[in-house]
């Protein structure tokens, strides 16, 4: 089982995995989007799992901003809108993401702002650097193909 981990809950070993990890410095893809991640019970087959780091010494605002950028890119590539973005709590009832839930609507507004930047063709607003349009289109098409394959499987 690659890129998956385990944790102990109530004395039982449980399988866990997710697609992306986000902190204040980077985004790391843990699994291809078309691969099933074990993260949300009934939501496993219906969602893309993104873990946002929360720990001492982390710039949480920067991590949340990086998360909003990632979500905007995924929404763009999949042709979805913010109504499809749900917190872990939606699937599990768990108070997660604990630090982001109190400002969930503001977070979605930020996602919308970045998504509008993509729609206007401003990849610089998402990635922070100018990007070759042709390379950017190919990268977005590849991500969209992976995600669509996962969602239609």
């Amino acid at each position: 089982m690659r890129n998956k981990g385990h944790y102990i809950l109530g004395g039982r070993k449980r399988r866990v995995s997710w697609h992306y990890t986000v902190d204040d410095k980077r985004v790391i893809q843990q699994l291809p989007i078309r691969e099933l991640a074990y993260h949300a019970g009934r939501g496993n087959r219906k969602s893309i799992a993104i873990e946002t780091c929360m720990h001492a010494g982390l710039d949480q605002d920067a991590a949340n901003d990086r998360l909003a950028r990632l979500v905007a890119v995924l929404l763009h590539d999949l042709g979805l809108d913010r109504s499809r973005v749900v917190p872990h709590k939606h699937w599990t009832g768990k108070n997660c993401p604990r630090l982001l839930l109190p400002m969930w609507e503001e977070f979605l507004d930020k996602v919308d702002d970045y998504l509008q930047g993509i729609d206007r063709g401003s990849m610089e607003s998402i990635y922070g650097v100018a990007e070759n349009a042709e390379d950017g289109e190919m990268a977005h098409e590849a991500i969209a193909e992976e995600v669509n394959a996962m969602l239609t499987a």
Side-chain angles (χ1 to χ4, degrees), residues 116-127:
Q116 289 171 14
I118 296 171
D119 291 341
R120 288 191 307 267
S122 174
M123 295 311 289
E124 185 171 355
S125 70
I126 297 302
Y127 297 111

Side-chain angles (χ1 to χ4, degrees), residues 4-136:
K4 293 180 176 61
H6 293 90
Y7 71 98
I8 304 298
L9 178 65
R12 290 183 41 214
K13 191 175 186 180
R14 306 208 29 142
R15 185 172 24 186
V16 295
S17 58
W18 51 92
H19 295 100
Y20 293 94
T21 300
V22 178
D23 72 4
D24 56 343
K25 307 260 189 287
R26 66 193 54 84
V27 172
I28 300 170
Q29 186 171 11
Q30 307 295 142
L31 292 172
I33 292 176
R34 69 179 169 268
E35 191 169 322
L36 178 65
Y38 297 93
H39 61 98
R42 65 186 172 90
N44 288 346
R45 294 190 184 277
K46 299 176 183 177
S47 61
I48 298 167
I50 305 172
E51 288 291 327
T52 306
C53 296
M54 299 180 290
H55 56 80
L58 178 83
D59 181 343
Q60 196 64 53
D61 289 337
N64 292 345
D65 184 70
R66 190 169 301 282
L67 173 63
R69 291 171 188 249
L70 171 61
V71 171
V73 168
L74 290 169
L75 290 176
H76 175 267
D77 291 345
L78 295 171
L80 302 173
D81 63 40
R82 78 187 253 169
S83 69
R84 299 292 299 272
V85 180
V86 297
H88 192 219
K89 182 177 184 172
H90 174 82
W91 300 113
T92 65
K94 179 181 173 185
N95 187 29
C96 183
R98 182 177 53 83
L99 297 180
L100 197 54
L101 283 176
M103 56 182 141
W104 188 250
E105 286 303 314
E106 292 88 349
F107 169 74
L108 291 177
D109 290 343
K110 184 175 276 197
V111 169
D112 274 343
D113 289 345
Y114 284 126
L115 186 56
Q116 289 171 14
I118 296 171
D119 291 341
R120 288 191 307 267
S122 174
M123 295 311 289
E124 185 171 355
S125 70
I126 297 302
Y127 297 111
V129 295
E131 180 179 348
N132 176 298
E134 186 175 307
D135 291 344

